[in-house]
Amino acid sequence: MLEVILALAIISLAAGGLSLGLVLGRGPALTPCSAADKNPETRCADCPLRRRKAGGPAE
């Protein structure tokens, strides 16, 4: 039972931190692809953002 309470507390803190960031104007959390949007040399070869910038087919 203690594990369930601890898991709920951790999830609540994480959700609270994300919502507090949204309320304070930081914007939504970034996905790996959207975070790497400004750094094209570190993207993997099958990244859809890399193909879109190179003029290839976008998914």
Side-chain angles (χ1 to χ4, degrees), residues 33 36-37 40 43-59:
C33 277
D37 189 31
R43 289 194 198 123
C44 55
D46 60 343
C47 179
L49 290 174
R50 183 177 182 172
R51 286 196 301 256
R52 189 178 319 136
K53 295 235 183 200
E59 294 177 11

Side-chain angles (χ1 to χ4, degrees), residues 19-48:
S19 62
L20 185 63
L22 283 172
V23 168
L24 294 177
R26 289 282 305 216
L30 298 177
T31 63
C33 277
S34 63
D37 189 31
K38 306 258 186 309
N39 199 4
E41 63 272 356
T42 60
R43 289 194 198 123
C44 55
D46 60 343
C47 179

